[in-house]
Amino acid sequence: MNQLIQATYQPGTSSQITARMDAYLAYASQQLPVIWMPWTAQFDETATYIHGVNSSYNPITNTNYPNYWTVSH
């Protein structure tokens, strides 16, 4: 894996760089079940004219559904 990461830093043409990134992506998708990204956003404050932000957040899937938000003027 370290060789794949180091290869992504090497100079090359666009197609060479893309091939290196694709190789790293293929390896990572087979070896890692999930690429973890920390959730740091807090929805403690929301503009008074945007409704449904906190109620549409799903903490289990760490997903927010903006299609359920409404805006009033």
Side-chain angles (χ1 to χ4, degrees):
M1 173 132 171
N2 192 30
Q3 293 173 345
L4 290 172
I5 293 171
Q6 291 301 320
T8 62
Y9 290 104
Q10 300 300 316
T13 64
S14 295
S15 60
Q16 290 171 328
I17 294 169
T18 301
R20 293 176 194 148
M21 293 300 291
D22 288 343
Y24 174 71
L25 178 64
Y27 175 82
S29 67
Q30 292 172 359
Q31 299 299 317
L32 304 172
V34 171
I35 295 179
W36 179 77
M37 296 181 68
W39 179 258
T40 58
Q42 296 289 326
F43 293 107
D44 295 336
E45 291 186 34
T46 307
T48 57
Y49 57 88
I50 301 176
H51 311 285
V53 174
N54 293 327
S55 63
S56 68
Y57 174 70
N58 184 340
I60 295 172
T61 61
N62 199 20
T63 308
N64 208 342
Y65 300 96
N67 52 316
Y68 293 116
W69 299 353
T70 58
V71 177
S72 63
H73 295 282

